[in-house]
Amino acid sequence: GVVQGIPDALNVQLAYDEKNLYVAFHCRYSTKREASDDFAADEHELLDQSEYVAVIIDAVHGHTGGYQFVVSPAGVRGDAAISNQGTDQNLDWHGIWDADTAFTEDGWTAELEIPWGTMYMSSSDAPFDIGINFERHEPISGEISLWALHPPATELYDINFFGHVEGLERVHPGQRLLLLPYAAAAYDSSKPM
């Protein structure tokens, strides 16, 4: 469905199946300009200096933590585990998910595919709810837009103020497997006798 209550400069659509949650963003600019195709060097730079959209999901609807998935117009991705009711952000957490972006005449689009297993969801045939928020960061205008606003003194996110997606059902996450490349090398400096 379409998410209501977001400024006209940002449209968000949600869909899901038994394996994945799908989030589509369409970002428009108030004045004619092109989206930035700059690449952030790391997740800190992406979150501090780059234009991006993000979805933050409290998948177990516990109001204590969740997962943040971020993508820039150039397709640079970042993710984090959010804990302590939204005050702590762990950028060392990495999930399995995919994103695709495209430039449009009036801005850019982003499509995210997030496996339920990445968010440690349990299988459920019965209806359940999740907490969710959407964010757009546009550094040129200095704008940060949130779908569900939180109190002004909040430093990162307050998960207690997230919106809800209700009545999801028939979710059967696949196995969560993350492969990280690893290399080892050795050098023996001793000379043969």
Side-chain angles (χ1 to χ4, degrees):
V2 176
V3 178
Q4 301 296 321
I6 294 180
D8 289 339
L10 177 64
N11 287 351
V12 180
Q13 293 181 313
L14 289 175
Y16 78 99
D17 59 26
E18 70 173 344
K19 300 288 183 199
N20 301 298
L21 176 68
Y22 304 95
V23 184
F25 293 90
H26 182 184
C27 304
R28 289 185 293 282
Y29 298 116
S30 54
T31 58
K32 189 153 179 71
R33 66 179 179 89
E34 291 184 11
S36 170
D37 60 357
D38 291 342
F39 274 84
D42 59 29
E43 286 177 307
H44 291 283
E45 184 179 325
L46 172 63
L47 293 169
D48 291 339
Q49 301 172 19
S50 298
E51 179 177 0
Y52 68 78
V53 290
V55 58
I56 309 99
I57 303 165
D58 175 7
V60 297
H61 206 224
H63 298 276
T64 57
Y67 302 97
Q68 178 183 25
F69 303 92
V70 179
V71 65
S72 76
V76 178
R77 298 183 309 159
D79 50 24
I82 305 294
S83 60
N84 199 16
Q85 294 184 324
T87 60
D88 297 329
Q89 182 183 50
N90 178 3
L91 294 175
D92 290 331
W93 179 84
H94 297 293
I96 299 169
W97 59 287
D98 201 11
D100 193 21
T101 60
F103 296 106
T104 65
E105 188 175 304
D106 63 348
W108 61 287
T109 62
E111 297 175 357
L112 287 66
E113 177 185 76
I114 306 166
W116 293 112
T118 291
M119 299 178 284
Y120 302 97
M121 291 286 296
S122 300
S123 276
S124 176
D125 286 319
F128 64 93
D129 305 336
I130 62 172
I132 198 163
N133 210 348
F134 307 99
E135 178 183 14
R136 180 180 183 193
H137 179 244
E138 191 179 352
I140 290 176
S141 68
E143 247 181 81
I144 298 175
S145 302
L146 288 170
W147 174 54
L149 298 177
H150 48 66
T154 305
E155 288 186 32
L156 188 59
Y157 304 107
D158 190 331
I159 293 174
N160 292 301
F161 289 86
F162 277 20
H164 302 151
V165 178
E166 301 172 339
L168 301 174
E169 58 187 354
R170 294 187 298 277
V171 169
H172 302 282
Q175 183 180 14
R176 185 180 183 276
L177 180 63
L178 178 61
L179 300 175
L180 297 174
Y182 178 78
Y187 175 73
D188 187 354
S189 63
S190 61
K191 294 181 182 180
M193 297 187 158

